[in-house]
Amino acid sequence: MLGWFRKNKKQVSPSESEVSLETESSHSIINKEGGELEPRDLSPEKGSEDPVSRGSLASRLKRGLSRTRESFLKKIDDLFLGRKKIDQDLLDELEEILITADLGVKTVEDLLEAARSLADRDELADSSALKKILRDKVVEYLSVAQNKAMALPDSGPFVIMVLGVNGVGKTTSIGKIAHKFVASGQSVLLVAADTFRAAATEQLQVWGERIGVEVVARESGVDPSSVIYDALESARGRTSDVVIVDTAGRMHTKVNLVEELRKIKRVMGKKIFGAPHEVMLVIDATTGQNAISQAKLFNDAVQITGLTLTKLDGTAKGGIVVNISRELSIPIRFIGVGEQLDDLRDFDPEEFAEALFSSVN
Amino acid sequence: MAEWPFLTVGKALMFDALSDKLNSAFKKLRGHGKLSEDNIKGAMREVRTALLEADVNFKVVKDFIASVSEKAVGQEVLDSLAPGQQVVKVVHSHLIELLGGAAEPLNVGGPQPVVIMLVGLQGSGKTTTTGKLAKLLQSQGRRPYLVPADVYRPAAIEQLKVLGGSLALPVHPSEGGQNPVDICRAAVATAKLKNCDTVLIDTAGRLHVDEELMRELSLIKKDLRPAEILFVADAMTGQDAVTVAEKFNQDLSISGVILTKMDGDARGGAALSIKKVTDRPIKFVGVGEGLDALEVFHPDRLASRILGMGDVLTLIERAEAVVDQKKAEKLAQKIRKNTFSLEDFRDQIQQIRKMGNLEQLMGMVPGMSRLKQMNNLPKPDEKELGRIEAIINSMTLDERRKYQIIDSSRRQRIARGSGTTVQDVNKVIKSYSDMLKMMQKMKGMGAFGAAGPGSGKKKRKRPKGLFR
């Protein structure tokens, strides 16, 4: 699991029309012609939470890697080590590791099939060659969509619409994403369009206070589209660089609620040309095969352009995103690895694949 | 289901994805006498895939397959009966057994006020479920006291206060800076003063690997000695469900499980994993966002759902909720007497729309969940139903009762009146007349209660052991 916290590898310098969010201290987020903005004061409300301190990250990491956790995790290397022959037993264990990571029956079968055929043709020197091939295959599945960067509009704010089923961590992710933008000197406006769940608006407002950004909110029960309409109006007046819209969690199977999402998206497009520029689906890493259904149905309705995978700081591997990426060709933007402001990383296929192959024995 | 021509039509389409696959695996077995271990192997492969696709944990599946194979070996293969169905029956009943027998009620006996504690991961739905439980207990004449003990998530306390407000129930005035253990201790004392008999504690969501927060729960438990510690779990959870449930149970020895978000299309295999590793009963399932969307757990329904066999019982229950019994009887009469008019047709459509969205309904019909994934199939369209209604509304009373009189000029008028095209009108009339024909046939088959004793055709006996 250490992989999640490791430093990101080299970042391709973003072209002018792309947005790349870097996790490292540079915090350079958007390459935008002209208009350098003054970074805002980042001092958090509570002294106990220093969002950018690496010391606190290390201690949190330590806490996370407590006794319990160590006993859960065993690197797959142990499995490969000391075993030269690729036999049925090895493949069986491999299957268990992959299935347990929520990769899904079909993808696992495809992977094992590839392994088997290579083994049959004696093209594998030893088991570590097999591991490399499988990992590369997963990276390949994940990389298909990864080149689809976020596209920045020529003028006006960059509008992000965030959606997902209930309880996946939409609001928390929005807080973290907003923090990233703020840290890179962009002005951010948050829109509380979850007017349904009790105290959802308050939750976003607390995040807004912590990061020091404005939150547009209305009383609960009003039509979310009307909140967004007002918010985008004021965003134009205020020349915000980034507008992030928090929608209410909803089951992807509820037709009327998905229809509401469509309307929200339409309203954005009417108010600001091309908006939303990013339609971000948040997926909980503990979710199993149902995540595919979520991605499919939401994608049918509002054309998802990016994913955020949350709650990777537990023991779940979030392998289901491999299937989503493979089947729907949607890039994964961020991964959430904790509850603090800076616990959001850029997604790295290599790192992710590496973590998938750590076993749960 | 007799009053439901539409659904009965669906029945003709209905087949079980799993038993179908099993049947093809068993094709060569006809006339073999008894199932041997070898025969079973291929079939168990299919069962295994079905369970894994439903998110049942790998190890749990392994054990399950081992014990089910044992049960299935030695079963007699009857020529009259598809061996696939036979195996499905064994698998299904074994699943029900594992998921637990009859629903267990909440334990609210003992010294009052009784304490109920809800625990679980972040986002599993604890706060909403606390509200739902409070409503349920309230309706049983108890006086719940709501205690928000989540001092970490922004506005979590506020959320429970809002829910308490809408139920007109007292909520403990917790504050963000307080220690959760202190909050709970004070809350029980206040509950006594306020003459409340049930203290519902909504704890903060936490990761099972967060030792510090897990210790906090142990402290609350030690201090308050809750009668129930309910583990709230998301029905969409994947393989990790075992790890999480095991850890919560190990630290707190939970007393029951509440499965949330069952209103989606998740197969809910996590429930089996959780039940298996904790051996604690699943007490309730959450089926929606409203405060009354909490149902008693039914193992048989979940078993069918895990196997991808649809959820017919829920479908029937929902149908019963919207069907006016008298109207239904009248309708059955009409069908018997061949007086099923276009008006009745419209009533049917309205009732179906009342039951909820069509796609979800289709998902509950066995086999349909798989069909739905085949995209070439036309999707049921809510708008289409609205159009049919509009067309029938634009007809005169006479036309609705005798569709034969609707000639081309009448069709044009109806199309104009309903804002549709003549083709649309033709389609409606065609499907209505097709339906009439089908009803005639079904009447012959004994549906709609027409085939009473002595009404002619002999009813076919259901083969022994046929799985319903």
Side-chain angles (χ1 to χ4, degrees):
Chain A
M1 259 323 173
L2 254 168
W4 299 120
F5 300 94
R6 231 181 286 139
K7 280 184 72 166
N8 262 330
K9 301 198 181 83
K10 54 175 189 324
Q11 188 86 26
V12 196
S13 74
S15 81
E16 285 182 334
S17 61
E18 290 178 348
V19 185
S20 163
L21 298 194
E22 187 136 344
T23 53
E24 286 318 303
S25 48
S26 67
H27 279 302
S28 79
I29 296 194
I30 295 189
N31 246 22
K32 203 177 178 185
E33 46 266 79
E36 262 306 304
L37 283 127
E38 283 289 302
R40 281 177 192 242
D41 183 11
L42 276 181
S43 54
E45 299 292 306
K46 283 187 203 160
S48 59
E49 289 168 359
D50 186 358
V52 281
S53 144
R54 304 219 68 85
S56 70
L57 176 65
S59 62
R60 253 178 289 127
L61 175 60
K62 215 170 169 185
R63 194 179 68 197
L65 284 174
S66 57
R67 196 170 33 82
T68 338
R69 190 161 184 178
E70 270 162 18
S71 68
F72 284 140
L73 297 180
K74 197 181 99 198
K75 276 278 170 200
I76 199 172
D77 287 330
D78 294 356
L79 172 61
F80 289 104
L81 264 177
R83 252 202 251 187
K84 283 273 174 269
K85 225 180 79 209
I86 296 157
D87 54 13
Q88 190 55 43
D89 281 355
L90 183 86
L91 290 175
D92 283 352
E93 280 178 60
L94 207 56
E95 183 188 26
E96 176 169 359
I97 289 167
L98 295 173
I99 291 270
T100 312
D102 285 320
L103 229 53
V105 181
K106 192 179 171 297
T107 299
V108 172
E109 262 169 19
D110 289 353
L111 285 171
L112 291 179
E113 197 44 54
R116 229 172 264 133
S117 75
L118 285 171
D120 287 351
R121 280 183 280 151
D122 272 339
E123 280 175 32
L124 293 170
D126 55 19
S127 53
S128 65
L130 170 65
K131 181 194 169 186
K132 191 181 173 309
I133 281 166
L134 290 182
R135 210 196 50 208
D136 289 352
K137 197 102 189 148
V138 170
V139 173
E140 185 193 311
Y141 291 153
L142 284 168
S143 304
V144 186
Q146 271 329 102
N147 54 359
K148 293 181 185 168
M150 290 194 256
L152 201 70
D154 294 334
S155 65
F158 179 65
V159 182
I160 305 175
M161 169 178 170
V162 179
L163 60 121
V165 300
N166 314 63
V168 289
K170 284 177 295 300
T171 310
T172 308
S173 297
I174 287 172
K176 294 177 189 170
I177 294 171
H179 171 66
K180 257 176 193 275
F181 279 108
V182 169
S184 74
Q186 311 286 319
S187 63
V188 178
L189 182 73
L190 300 181
V191 184
D194 180 354
T195 53
F196 180 80
R197 204 202 70 198
T201 305
E202 285 84 346
Q203 192 181 347
L204 193 68
Q205 275 165 338
V206 173
W207 278 108
E209 268 169 45
R210 279 189 196 167
I211 320 160
V213 302
E214 205 166 327
V215 179
V216 178
R218 292 258 303 275
E219 67 275 25
S220 74
V222 301
D223 181 357
S225 298
S226 77
V227 183
I228 291 159
Y229 189 90
D230 293 353
L232 293 188
E233 184 72 43
S234 68
R236 273 205 304 208
R238 260 179 286 199
T239 64
S240 303
D241 298 312
V242 183
V243 177
I244 310 179
V245 178
D246 185 15
T247 63
R250 66 200 72 216
M251 283 293 165
H252 49 294
T253 49
K254 298 250 159 91
V255 174
N256 53 340
L257 294 181
V258 172
E259 188 55 45
E260 183 186 86
L261 275 184
R262 275 202 195 132
K263 183 178 170 194
I264 288 173
K265 192 184 174 195
R266 260 196 324 266
V267 167
M268 290 184 191
K270 269 184 196 154
K271 208 67 200 154
I272 294 177
F273 179 77
H277 309 94
E278 171 82 356
V279 181
M280 181 168 284
L281 175 65
V282 181
I283 300 257
D284 181 336
T286 46
T287 307
Q289 302 306 303
N290 192 247
I292 288 272
S293 175
Q294 293 172 20
K296 271 188 187 155
L297 293 184
F298 281 132
N299 190 45
D300 285 350
V302 289
Q303 295 78 47
I304 308 295
T305 60
L307 297 180
T308 292
L309 186 64
T310 58
K311 307 187 195 174
L312 269 171
D313 44 338
T315 43
K317 298 289 178 56
I320 193 64
V321 292
V322 176
N323 288 348
I324 297 177
S325 183
R326 192 181 169 196
E327 278 191 39
L328 301 174
S329 187
I330 300 172
I332 301 140
R333 307 272 189 226
F334 306 114
I335 54 171
V337 293
E339 303 210 26
Q340 303 303 315
L341 272 177
D342 61 345
D343 287 337
L344 187 79
R345 310 280 131 135
D346 282 2
F347 176 75
D348 180 336
E350 305 248 345
E351 241 177 39
F352 188 83
E354 187 65 43
L356 276 186
F357 281 88
S358 46
S359 89
V360 192
N361 273 343
Chain B
M1 296 254 280
E3 317 78 38
W4 289 91
F6 275 118
L7 298 179
T8 329
V9 174
K11 219 171 166 181
L13 276 169
M14 156 171 131
F15 63 94
D16 295 342
L18 181 63
S19 65
D20 243 32
K21 277 191 208 161
L22 292 178
N23 280 341
S24 65
F26 280 126
K27 226 170 216 161
K28 24 186 187 327
L29 291 186
R30 294 286 162 90
H32 261 233
K34 281 180 180 171
L35 292 174
S36 74
E37 209 161 325
D38 269 358
N39 308 150
I40 291 285
K41 234 177 192 169
M44 283 305 135
R45 186 90 208 155
E46 299 291 351
V47 174
R48 180 178 181 272
T49 305
L51 294 175
L52 287 176
E53 277 172 354
D55 288 323
V56 180
N57 179 270
F58 189 87
K59 285 201 174 105
V60 177
V61 172
K62 217 172 174 179
D63 293 352
F64 182 85
I65 294 295
S67 60
V68 149
S69 306
E70 222 169 87
K71 278 194 181 176
V73 170
Q75 294 255 332
E76 284 184 26
V77 185
L78 302 170
D79 271 338
S80 61
L81 176 63
Q85 294 258 332
Q86 215 170 330
V87 172
V88 166
K89 199 184 160 213
V90 175
V91 169
H92 189 256
S93 55
H94 194 54
L95 259 183
I96 294 175
E97 200 179 302
L98 284 184
L99 284 168
E104 283 190 44
L106 281 177
N107 171 20
V108 286
Q112 307 288 315
V114 67
V115 177
I116 298 176
M117 195 173 153
L118 285 91
V119 299
L121 294 179
Q122 293 101 333
S124 53
K126 283 175 299 302
T127 309
T128 308
T129 306
T130 305
K132 290 177 183 176
L133 264 186
K135 179 155 192 193
L136 182 82
L137 290 164
Q138 193 184 21
S139 73
Q140 291 169 358
R142 297 193 67 89
R143 296 174 42 83
Y145 186 59
L146 301 179
V147 185
D150 182 355
V151 295
Y152 309 101
R153 181 166 65 95
I157 295 175
E158 192 57 39
Q159 190 184 346
L160 195 62
K161 282 182 180 163
V162 173
L163 292 177
S166 68
L167 291 169
L169 285 175
V171 181
H172 189 73
S174 315
E175 271 169 44
Q178 291 171 314
N179 179 332
V181 185
D182 295 340
I183 291 178
C184 296
R185 202 175 296 151
V188 174
T190 320
K192 265 183 210 156
L193 287 177
K194 288 191 185 250
N195 200 20
C196 292
D197 54 13
T198 318
V199 179
L200 285 172
I201 300 179
D202 175 29
T203 66
R206 64 202 71 213
L207 281 173
H208 50 297
V209 289
D210 192 331
E211 290 292 352
E212 212 174 289
L213 286 180
M214 290 304 285
R215 207 168 305 126
E216 178 193 289
L217 288 181
S218 301
L219 282 176
I220 297 178
K221 182 192 172 185
K222 215 174 123 202
D223 221 67
L224 303 187
R225 301 180 171 276
E228 290 269 5
I229 299 179
L230 300 170
F231 175 62
V232 181
D234 185 331
M236 300 184 285
T237 314
Q239 295 285 321
D240 203 39
V242 282
T243 320
V244 179
E246 205 162 30
K247 178 70 177 139
F248 269 93
N249 192 38
Q250 186 189 320
D251 285 13
L252 299 165
S253 70
I254 58 172
S255 64
V257 178
I258 298 184
L259 208 57
T260 60
K261 305 182 204 173
M262 281 288 281
D263 48 333
D265 56 356
R267 300 258 294 271
L272 184 62
S273 308
I274 294 169
K275 181 80 211 306
K276 174 92 191 194
V277 296
T278 64
D279 197 27
R280 294 297 190 277
I282 300 166
K283 299 206 166 179
F284 297 98
V285 291
V287 292
E289 295 190 76
L291 283 176
D292 46 10
L294 190 72
E295 290 177 356
V296 169
F297 174 67
H298 296 284
D300 48 337
R301 296 183 192 182
L302 187 64
S304 302
R305 191 160 158 170
I306 288 176
L307 291 176
M309 304 198 309
D311 191 353
V312 183
L313 286 168
T314 306
L315 181 65
I316 293 170
E317 213 168 66
R318 230 190 260 192
E320 276 168 358
V322 292
V323 172
D324 183 333
Q325 208 49 47
K326 272 188 200 149
K327 250 189 176 174
E329 244 151 60
K330 241 187 194 168
L331 187 70
Q333 283 274 336
K334 279 182 175 167
I335 293 170
R336 274 198 290 271
K337 290 184 184 158
N338 290 336
T339 52
F340 183 79
S341 72
L342 272 158
E343 248 172 348
D344 303 319
F345 186 58
R346 186 189 57 189
D347 279 353
Q348 290 286 298
I349 290 169
Q350 280 168 345
Q351 279 182 341
I352 285 193
R353 291 179 83 186
K354 250 196 264 172
M355 273 165 59
N357 89 66
L358 262 186
E359 242 177 284
Q360 215 183 323
L361 286 180
M362 300 286 271
M364 291 181 197
V365 179
M368 286 307 269
S369 56
R370 206 181 63 158
L371 275 178
K372 210 168 63 181
Q373 278 152 13
M374 294 163 29
N375 280 334
N376 50 359
L377 221 89
K379 282 204 174 136
D381 185 0
E382 302 273 322
K383 271 189 191 145
E384 181 73 36
L385 290 185
R387 232 183 337 252
I388 297 175
E389 254 191 86
I391 287 170
I392 298 176
N393 284 340
S394 297
M395 294 176 182
T396 64
L397 274 181
D398 276 350
E399 287 167 349
R400 288 181 208 163
R401 279 169 201 161
K402 272 183 93 176
Y403 76 101
Q404 292 90 340
I405 63 168
I406 307 177
D407 57 15
S408 73
S409 84
R410 281 176 192 254
R411 279 171 209 234
Q412 271 169 29
R413 192 208 72 240
I414 292 166
R416 269 200 312 278
S418 56
T420 55
T421 63
V422 175
Q423 283 88 338
D424 289 331
V425 179
N426 289 341
K427 247 199 295 189
V428 172
I429 294 172
K430 176 88 169 57
S431 51
Y432 165 69
S433 60
D434 283 351
M435 204 161 142
L436 280 184
K437 273 180 219 151
M438 192 141 52
M439 282 173 184
Q440 290 307 311
K441 264 194 215 152
M442 291 207 213
K443 223 171 67 177
M445 278 159 52
F448 309 118
S455 72
K457 286 205 176 168
K458 217 172 120 192
K459 250 187 167 174
R460 225 181 115 229
K461 213 176 130 197
R462 177 183 283 124
K464 205 173 86 192
L466 180 62
F467 171 69
R468 268 175 302 162

